[in-house]
Amino acid sequence: MPTLLDVTATPRNAKSRTQKLRQAFLAGYRQAHPDFIHLQLDLGAEHATLPAFDEWDIEAKFQMAYGEGKLDEVAAARWDRLTQLTDQLHAADVLLITAPMWNFGVPWMLKRWIDCVVQGRLTFEFVDGQFSGLLKGKRAVILTTRDGAYGPGTPYAVMDFAVPYLRTVLGLVGYGPIDAVIAEPMVMGGPEVGAAALERGVVEAGGLGKSL
């Protein structure tokens, strides 16, 4: 049975429009895989448990990446927390990321998680001058909502630093294919346009869930 790692960065929870895409995707995925293993990480609620990447976290990272791997008790505990997070990625067949666009990019708690899990020797290697992801053979899905319209060919396409960034960083660690469901514009076209865009996104997310 497949394992799905469900990472959300939607602090508004039930009030979140982006959560509606997630709920539709999960309903479709559950139809296709009734017995799937569901690993959940709610970054809106659990971001404080992530490594802060202070002096001690950085020292542990550098020692493991560039040194001899000798860690004292504190550094070992810090590194262990990182490996717990990356172990979730290795355990899952599919990664689901649900996050709205914030200020043209991703929510800060999602960026904090990314900084934790994109680690040399844990999720990627640099060999012979090239990056090599260690999560090859796994799929990723991005679900997002945006107040404006930032798709290809629009005047604001160059301001989308969310989906292209996620595609790049997920590809770096080996994910592929990477699917994205984008519901837009939520606000700038008015309430009726936003409601219709969200409805289309919900249908698309549900269909994608069934197809994986």
Side-chain angles (χ1 to χ4, degrees):
M1 65 185 69
T3 297
L4 174 75
L5 176 56
D6 176 12
V7 178
T8 59
T10 56
R12 295 177 68 233
N13 296 320
K15 297 178 181 179
S16 166
R17 295 168 303 205
T18 322
Q19 279 283 357
K20 291 180 170 57
L21 303 182
R22 172 180 172 267
Q23 292 160 4
F25 177 89
L26 290 175
Y29 194 79
R30 191 171 288 109
Q31 287 186 36
H33 308 281
D35 299 322
F36 80 99
I37 298 172
H38 190 186
L39 306 177
Q40 299 183 61
L41 180 57
D42 181 355
L43 296 175
E46 301 177 47
H47 59 81
T49 68
L50 299 177
F53 269 87
D54 53 20
E55 177 183 356
W56 293 273
D57 288 322
I58 294 294
E59 285 299 320
K61 172 180 176 174
F62 280 17
Q63 179 59 223
M64 294 301 294
Y66 312 119
E68 298 178 358
K70 297 179 180 179
L71 303 177
D72 60 22
E73 185 175 349
V74 173
R78 296 299 186 100
W79 186 252
D80 182 62
R81 179 58 182 137
L82 283 179
T83 59
Q84 290 174 16
L85 294 168
T86 57
D87 283 349
Q88 290 182 321
L89 295 176
H90 285 281
D93 303 290
V94 178
L95 169 64
L96 173 65
I97 294 179
T98 304
M101 174 188 275
W102 280 12
N103 295 323
F104 312 117
V106 300
W108 62 266
M109 68 282 292
L110 177 56
K111 179 60 166 60
R112 181 170 173 175
W113 175 78
I114 289 170
D115 287 341
C116 290
V117 299
V118 179
Q119 297 292 335
R121 299 176 60 175
L122 295 181
T123 53
F124 74 89
E125 295 177 318
F126 193 68
V127 181
D128 296 329
Q130 294 187 345
F131 289 103
S132 178
L134 299 178
L135 296 168
K136 292 183 175 70
K138 300 176 183 293
R139 297 192 67 163
V141 174
I142 302 164
L143 305 178
T144 190
T145 57
R146 313 194 289 207
D147 285 350
Y150 300 87
T154 65
Y156 299 114
V158 296
M159 301 173 75
D160 178 9
F161 299 103
V163 173
Y165 165 70
L166 290 173
R167 286 188 179 278
T168 298
V169 76
L170 293 175
L172 171 74
V173 296
Y175 282 101
I178 301 168
D179 297 290
V181 176
I182 303 169
E184 63 177 8
M186 292 290 95
V187 173
M188 291 186 177
E192 292 184 1
V193 171
L198 183 59
E199 184 177 354
R200 289 194 300 271
V202 165
V203 171
E204 183 180 353
L208 178 60
K210 291 179 186 178
S211 71
L212 295 190

